Amino acid sequence: MNQDPSEFEKSALKAGRTGLFGELWGFMKENKRWWLLPILVFLLIFGTFLILGGTGAAPFIYTLF
């Protein structure tokens, strides 16, 4: 059974693939949820500190706090 793609499937194929950040940016832009941006930036910075805390940069990060 070979059916023609629906309008939803056509638009999905036309849009292409976007990553996680592209999806978040599109969501915030479409729904006017700009208050999420500071939360996401904070989580990104905090995650970076956690990752760097286990490396040789740890003594420099600990002095920030």
Side-chain angles (χ1 to χ4, degrees):
M1 291 179 57
N2 190 4
Q3 296 178 346
D4 292 333
S6 67
E7 289 296 320
F8 175 75
E9 292 171 331
K10 287 178 187 176
S11 65
L13 289 173
K14 186 177 78 173
R17 295 186 65 171
T18 58
L20 177 66
F21 292 109
E23 290 286 333
L24 284 171
W25 182 257
F27 172 76
M28 290 189 303
K29 187 173 160 184
E30 183 72 24
N31 296 309
K32 307 290 190 254
R33 305 281 188 204
W34 298 114
W35 55 270
L36 286 172
L37 190 60
I39 296 170
L40 293 175
V41 168
F42 174 77
L43 287 174
L44 184 66
I45 291 171
F46 188 70
T48 304
F49 283 156
L50 284 176
I51 291 171
L52 291 176
T55 65
F60 301 109
I61 293 173
Y62 293 142
T63 59
L64 296 175
F65 300 103

